[in-house]
Amino acid sequence: MSQSRQLSQVILVIIMMFFSAYGEGLAQNSYEQLAEKALSQAQADSLTEALATYQEILSAYPSDHRNPLILTNIGQILERIGQDHEALHQYDTALNTLPDNVPILTYRANLFLKMGNWERAHRDYSHILDLDPQHRQSLTYRAYIDMRQHHYEEAKQDYTKVLSLYPDDETARAGYAVLLQEMGKLSEAIQQLSVLVEQHPERTEYLVMRAEIEAANSQPELALYDLDKAIEKDKSNKDYYLKRGYLLYEGRKYRAAHADFEQAVKLGVPRDTLKNLLKKGK
């Protein structure tokens, strides 16, 4: 074979390699550009357009290894527009390819929880915790499911674990306080709520929760103090006036109770629902 012919073949191979690499680069950029476009559309709440762009990606690149993430993004958009069952199908399909992907498992578990399918949610959270024993959200939500199903000891294990790892976790501590209340451990529940009151002084609901447990724990004066503080911070909450009014009424402080009931009426409580209680303390 002549030198010139060999050189021509080498040049041809180089040209073919160049165009092959160039073509792959174009395909790579097209996939990424479409994905970025869909993300921008979703962030701008152009959800129909984002779904169409994601579908375009799947149609153009049906075998791309990143497609499970595209399916997950589609699932999140479908959740946002209230199509939960369709979203679940997308997560299922993504997990067929990536069965141990913790973020996708978390999306599906949270959706099962929202849909009231506690058994499937519990199963997914347990799977996540097998993969990541310190997964914060899975510990918290599995504990919640166990509590709702009266599996109190299992719930307590998860709540105490998540709080040992993440002592500032507000959701877990509030859930643990409710669990302790349901278990009849009122003093311990009050302790957990006291931590929340200290950590979140602006959250009046924790003062009211603590007041309710203090009242159940035969500590009416402490309960009244907490309700006073809650009303001081939120004077427009009719429920707080009702709760304090009932507590004052039970303590035979009828005049003060009447004043709270009247204020609750001004804030929107139907007078007929309180007519018997309003008779005293005028």
Side-chain angles (χ1 to χ4, degrees):
M1 183 182 294
S2 67
Q3 266 189 323
S4 61
R5 186 175 180 185
Q6 286 180 334
L7 182 59
S8 297
Q9 288 182 342
V10 170
I11 293 172
L12 180 61
V13 169
I14 292 173
I15 291 172
M16 291 175 64
M17 290 175 61
F18 171 78
F19 279 109
S20 176
Y22 180 71
E24 289 178 4
L26 281 179
Q28 179 80 358
N29 290 335
S30 296
Y31 190 104
E32 291 176 353
Q33 287 169 358
L34 285 170
E36 289 175 4
K37 177 183 176 182
L39 180 61
S40 297
Q41 290 169 330
Q43 291 174 340
D45 289 331
S46 299
L47 302 183
T48 302
E49 292 83 351
L51 284 173
T53 304
Y54 281 132
Q55 291 296 343
E56 182 181 348
I57 294 172
L58 296 176
S59 297
Y61 309 97
S63 301
D64 195 284
H65 68 280
R66 294 165 292 183
N67 285 350
L69 304 181
I70 298 297
L71 292 168
T72 303
N73 289 344
I74 292 173
Q76 290 180 272
I77 292 176
L78 290 169
E79 278 198 70
R80 288 174 64 181
I81 61 178
Q83 296 182 19
D84 290 345
H85 289 283
E86 292 80 358
L88 184 59
H89 175 69
Q90 300 299 319
Y91 298 146
D92 287 342
T93 305
L95 287 166
N96 286 339
T97 303
L98 299 175
D100 292 333
N101 185 285
V102 169
I104 304 175
L105 281 166
T106 303
Y107 286 126
R108 188 173 72 174
N110 292 346
L111 180 54
F112 277 135
L113 183 63
K114 183 174 74 171
M115 295 171 70
N117 192 335
W118 290 358
E119 181 181 351
R120 292 293 304 276
H122 193 284
R123 191 185 309 167
D124 274 351
Y125 289 132
S126 296
H127 185 181
I128 294 166
L129 290 166
D130 288 338
L131 299 166
D132 179 3
Q134 296 185 1
H135 194 267
R136 184 173 185 166
Q137 194 175 90
S138 295
L139 285 167
T140 301
Y141 289 163
R142 188 173 72 173
Y144 171 81
I145 293 169
D146 280 328
M147 176 175 64
R148 293 274 67 87
Q149 296 182 324
H150 306 293
H151 301 152
Y152 292 145
E153 290 303 323
E154 291 87 344
K156 185 175 181 181
Q157 287 178 9
D158 278 349
Y159 275 135
T160 54
K161 181 174 181 178
V162 72
L163 289 172
S164 70
L165 295 168
Y166 312 101
D168 293 332
D169 192 302
E170 182 180 355
T171 301
R173 195 171 296 280
Y176 188 36
V178 173
L179 172 67
L180 291 168
Q181 181 183 12
E182 291 193 10
M183 295 175 73
K185 299 181 178 183
L186 301 185
S187 296
E188 292 180 43
I190 290 169
Q191 290 174 4
Q192 295 300 320
L193 286 166
S194 295
V195 174
L196 288 169
V197 168
E198 184 176 348
Q199 290 177 338
H200 306 279
E202 76 287 355
R203 300 290 296 274
T204 54
E205 61 265 36
Y206 294 136
L207 283 166
V208 174
M209 287 175 65
R210 187 170 69 177
E212 291 175 340
I213 299 175
E214 287 166 340
N217 202 35
S218 302
Q219 297 173 296
E221 294 305 318
L222 290 176
L224 284 171
Y225 176 81
D226 277 347
L227 288 169
D228 289 344
K229 298 294 288 183
I231 290 172
E232 182 181 319
K233 294 181 178 183
D234 184 1
K235 294 181 172 63
S236 63
N237 193 309
K238 61 182 181 294
D239 292 329
Y240 293 177
Y241 287 100
L242 280 177
K243 290 178 187 296
R244 190 173 67 177
Y246 287 131
L247 191 57
L248 289 165
Y249 192 91
E250 290 174 2
R252 298 188 177 185
K253 298 176 181 179
Y254 299 124
R255 187 175 296 275
H258 184 274
D260 274 352
F261 292 143
E262 285 289 358
Q263 185 61 31
V265 169
K266 288 181 182 177
L267 291 171
V269 175
R271 179 174 291 275
D272 287 348
T273 62
L274 298 172
K275 62 181 180 180
N276 292 330
L277 296 171
L278 287 166
K279 290 178 181 178
K280 289 193 175 182
K282 288 185 178 180

